[in-house]
Amino acid sequence: MRRMILSLLIGTLLLSGCTQAEEDVYQTSDTTDFTAVVTSDLHFTVNVDSSDAVVPAEPYASEFMEAFVNQVIAIHPDVFIMTGDNTNSGSDSDEAALSVILKRVKDAGIPIVMTTGNHDYDFSDAETYEKNFGDLLDMDEKDSSSLSYVKRIGDVTLLAMDDGAEDQGKTPVFSDETMKWLKKELEAASSRNDKILFLAHRSVLYKRGDSRYDSYHIQNKGLYDLLVKYHVQLVLSGHQHHFSILNKDSLHEIISGMPLADNHRFGVLSIKGKQVDYATEKIDFDTYGTKQCVSDMSAADQQAAQNQKETIDGLLQAYVNDPMYAQAENLLSSIFISLYDGSLSSKVAQFTSDPAFALVQKALADTNYGPWLNDLLKNPPADPNHLSFVWQDGR
């Protein structure tokens, strides 16, 4: 009898152990059907006198945004995602005006999920931000110590993180309280076997661990390990004003560009079952903008091209009499263009073998562009316009 009882106890413990192991296994749903329009760094402003040599379209931000919103509504995704620097200065007037435009998206039945960015804190604070944007955001859970929150759409959990709450946007870091809140929300979402998207303005993967780039990546030690532990496999961020796609082990990161510049592109994210696909599209001003918008954006693009030429000429000005000057000018322009259109990695050999490359290196050696160019060509980025992967199960 004792042997029978002992056998039953051992069997019960073994079964209990198996059950616990099964509970710890993360197995995401095969039935996800989710689409999102993804953007960042709108730098919206109602100041028509705003002037920016890098972004000549800035004074036309209102008509630009109206066209963009028209296209978002036509696409009608499950969610419209914005990862920070939503306004150019965080001014109350800019936030209020952007809120009015974005309300059209919400009224069309498209949820809005947005994070803060460093520019959103320039002339604003948490109270003003919530006053202007709070009614647009249907939050499921809210962090009490920052503007971070959770939005759930089907079996997708979106963690919209406020990485500038600690010192008005200057340092990308979460407080201890926010990290505890994040861990709690990750545990809850992982226990539901949700697909978890981590949204922030600054990057998780870009130059991680390199103190020279502290303003570009979130500085909390252990953040990467925490995200991987709870099966986060996609991060959406911005801040850098040009598109980029990064990967480390199971974690992928999409860094969105600035749509007022950078060829006026935005991203479309699709998750069907476990298949994740992402591609960029251009804002169609001809279809969704006014005639004035088309005219103004065309003029701004021409000005941007002229400004870039002047920048290149300035970098090469000491060598204007060099026989290779014109070829070096064309080469540097081609490098910039290929970076923006995603073809750089396939053209590195072509660029570095160009007879004018030595002159470009010499001209840029004592500028900030020199180390940047060398690193760029040594480690060319992946195609920033496309990403496909299969969401993985795991423990």
Side-chain angles (χ1 to χ4, degrees):
M1 184 68 177
R2 287 180 179 177
R3 288 181 179 178
M4 183 180 295
I5 293 172
L6 183 60
S7 297
L8 288 171
L9 285 172
I10 291 172
T12 301
L13 288 172
L14 288 172
L15 287 172
S16 175
C18 291
T19 302
Q20 183 62 41
E22 289 176 1
E23 288 176 352
D24 288 342
V25 173
Y26 170 82
Q27 188 171 0
T28 186
S29 167
D30 289 323
T31 60
T32 302
D33 189 355
F34 173 89
T35 59
V37 167
V38 183
T39 192
S40 187
D41 295 271
L42 294 170
H43 285 265
F44 177 85
T45 181
V46 292
N47 181 9
V48 295
D49 295 323
S50 177
S51 178
D52 190 317
V54 179
V55 191
E58 200 169 88
Y60 315 124
S62 291
E63 54 196 272
F64 160 88
M65 196 62 201
E66 290 286 358
F68 188 17
V69 160
N70 288 341
Q71 192 162 352
V72 171
I73 292 172
I75 295 171
H76 211 279
D78 293 309
V79 62
F80 181 36
I81 296 172
M82 295 170 285
T83 56
D85 279 4
N86 307 300
T87 62
N88 198 44
S89 66
S91 70
D92 187 66
S93 58
D94 284 350
E95 287 186 353
L98 178 59
S99 178
V100 171
I101 297 174
L102 291 176
K103 188 174 183 299
R104 293 181 49 223
V105 176
K106 182 177 181 180
D107 289 346
I110 303 168
I112 295 171
V113 174
M114 58 197 295
T115 73
T116 58
N118 52 296
H119 275 264
D120 296 311
Y121 276 108
D122 282 350
F123 295 104
S124 187
D125 53 32
E127 183 178 354
T128 305
Y129 187 92
E130 287 192 289
K131 178 198 74 174
N132 285 317
F133 296 124
D135 289 343
L136 293 175
L137 311 175
D138 296 322
M139 307 177 191
D140 290 307
E141 303 290 343
K142 171 77 167 58
D143 176 28
S144 61
S145 60
S146 76
L147 292 171
S148 303
Y149 67 96
V150 173
K151 176 66 178 176
R152 294 193 295 271
I153 299 177
D155 63 354
V156 176
T157 289
L158 298 99
L159 292 164
M161 302 301 298
D162 175 16
D163 64 34
E166 284 297 271
D167 62 353
Q168 288 291 103
K170 296 180 182 65
T171 305
V173 64
F174 302 129
S175 68
D176 291 342
E177 291 79 8
T178 294
M179 286 297 289
K180 291 176 183 176
W181 175 85
L182 172 61
K183 185 174 185 289
K184 177 175 69 73
E185 295 301 334
L186 285 169
E187 288 175 343
S190 182
S191 70
R192 296 191 297 268
N193 291 336
D194 282 359
K195 295 180 178 71
I196 308 171
L197 308 188
F198 182 90
L199 283 51
H201 186 56
R202 266 72 71 96
S203 174
V204 171
L205 294 179
Y206 181 73
K207 304 291 185 182
R208 189 172 66 96
D210 189 334
S211 60
R212 295 174 299 173
Y213 296 89
D214 276 353
S215 65
Y216 286 84
H217 56 248
I218 300 169
Q219 295 177 26
N220 295 84
K221 292 181 179 179
L223 176 62
Y224 169 82
D225 293 333
L226 184 67
L227 297 181
V228 171
K229 176 181 179 180
Y230 289 104
H231 318 292
V232 178
Q233 294 171 43
L234 185 58
V235 172
L236 304 176
S237 63
H239 186 61
Q240 299 184 35
H241 290 194
H242 64 269
F243 287 82
S244 183
I245 291 178
L246 307 174
N247 171 253
K248 178 175 172 54
D249 300 322
S250 62
L251 189 63
H252 305 79
E253 179 168 5
I254 297 169
I255 301 175
S256 291
M258 180 183 186
L260 267 173
D262 207 6
N263 296 328
H264 312 306
R265 290 179 295 156
F266 62 95
V268 177
L269 174 68
S270 170
I271 306 177
K272 303 289 184 183
K274 295 183 179 180
Q275 179 63 42
V276 181
D277 293 295
Y278 167 87
T280 65
E281 295 184 14
K282 296 191 76 169
I283 297 174
D284 186 350
F285 297 112
D286 289 330
T287 301
Y288 298 104
T290 63
K291 288 184 179 180
Q292 186 63 49
C293 176
V294 172
S295 175
D296 288 340
M297 295 306 295
S298 176
D301 289 346
Q302 292 176 25
Q303 186 61 56
Q306 178 61 33
N307 292 348
Q308 180 172 294
K309 184 179 185 304
E310 291 175 0
T311 298
I312 291 172
D313 289 345
L315 292 169
L316 300 173
Q317 64 181 348
Y319 303 92
V320 68
N321 294 321
D322 192 290
M324 298 297 294
Y325 175 83
Q327 191 166 336
E329 184 182 45
N330 289 334
L331 173 60
L332 195 49
S333 177
S334 296
I335 291 173
F336 283 136
I337 291 171
S338 68
L339 175 63
Y340 294 135
D341 69 18
S343 63
L344 180 64
S345 60
S346 65
K347 295 180 178 179
V348 169
Q350 173 189 330
F351 292 149
T352 55
S353 63
D354 191 297
F357 184 65
L359 179 59
V360 168
Q361 284 189 305
K362 185 178 179 180
L364 270 56
D366 294 328
T367 72
N368 291 334
Y369 284 93
W372 169 80
L373 179 64
N374 289 334
D375 183 58
L376 190 69
L377 296 178
K378 184 179 179 181
N379 303 289
D383 177 3
N385 302 308
H386 300 92
L387 173 67
S388 291
F389 69 93
V390 176
W391 205 281
Q392 299 295 314
D393 295 333
R395 289 188 179 274

